[in-house]
Amino acid sequence: MAYRTVQGEASAEIVEKKSRFIAQVSHVESDDEAVAFLERIRSENQQARHNVYAYLLRTGRTRYSDDGEPAQTSGMPTFQVLEHAGVSDVICVTTRYFGGVLLGTGGLVRAYTQAAQAALAVAHVISIERCVDVSITVPYAEYDAVLRGAQEAGAHVQGSVYTDAVQLDLRALEGDADALVRALTEASRGRAAITRSEPFDAAF
């Protein structure tokens, strides 16, 4: 099943009444990975008053914490940002450096929401789909026709290897793989060797 997640890590900072809110998001695939990311952020920000977090895994597992902020003002709003964005296998940790001015519950909700939104806005959000890799080796004279057929079938080129012939490595959605193989067979007049992987989850 396709799902959206972030690739790598991203961060953003907002300032609200002299308090700094530094939100950092990361791709994680388990509770252990989420906790490891949280502990790393905590160790890097030992002078901060709060390290609020929320994470949402593709398995349906969710956790969030206000980390000392008033109840429901930070962890839940952060989680709601992730949920609303439709991402999973993602953690967001927002570090707050207190600026000396109390924000009140409404101000905290807005600040933590905006910080998480800002981090997601700069993150590289990708769609993970069920994919198949297909490889074909053809003479140079047939390369253009094969490439055109692959692109018309909706495949993405992953790479090419040039020797005495050309090996073209392609990726297609699982549902398009049969059509891709047919297009390649036709473009190469049935003379090319075509290999096909088992389906797997990957960015597409």
Side-chain angles (χ1 to χ4, degrees), residues 15 19-20 54 64 66 87 91-92 95 116 141 159 161 166 189:
V15 178
S19 281
R20 295 171 59 210
Y64 54 86
D66 295 309
V87 294
I91 184 172
C92 178
T95 302
V161 179
V166 184
R189 301 175 188 176

Side-chain angles (χ1 to χ4, degrees), residues 29-131:
E29 296 184 356
S30 66
D31 289 295
D32 288 345
E33 288 184 12
V35 171
F37 181 77
L38 171 62
E39 291 305 320
R40 195 189 89 199
I41 300 303
R42 281 176 171 163
S43 69
E44 293 171 353
N45 296 276
Q46 296 182 22
Q47 304 305 312
R49 292 188 62 164
H50 308 281
N51 286 286
V52 167
Y53 73 88
Y55 66 84
L56 173 60
L57 301 180
R58 192 158 53 105
T59 59
R61 171 79 164 161
T62 62
R63 287 193 67 185
Y64 54 86
S65 168
D66 295 309
D67 194 35
E69 294 282 27
Q72 305 298 307
T73 62
S74 50
M76 173 58 82
T78 301
F79 170 76
Q80 289 174 334
V81 169
L82 299 180
E83 189 175 45
H84 181 72
V87 294
S88 56
D89 282 356
V90 176
I91 184 172
C92 178
V93 181
T94 301
T95 302
R96 181 189 182 191
Y97 286 91
F98 184 55
V101 179
L102 297 176
L103 301 183
T105 56
L108 287 171
V109 170
R110 284 192 299 273
Y112 279 102
T113 297
Q114 290 170 4
Q117 289 172 334
L120 273 182
V122 298
H124 185 199
V125 178
I126 59 175
S127 179
I128 302 297
E129 308 270 1
R130 197 68 173 166
C131 297

Side-chain angles (χ1 to χ4, degrees), residues 158-194:
Q158 298 298 106
S160 302
V161 179
Y162 300 93
T163 55
D164 56 335
V166 184
Q167 177 183 312
L168 189 60
D169 297 321
L170 305 161
R171 179 164 296 169
L173 296 176
E174 182 181 15
D176 296 334
D178 289 342
L180 173 61
V181 170
R182 286 195 299 270
L184 297 178
T185 301
E186 181 179 334
S188 65
R189 301 175 188 176
R191 295 196 296 261
I194 301 172

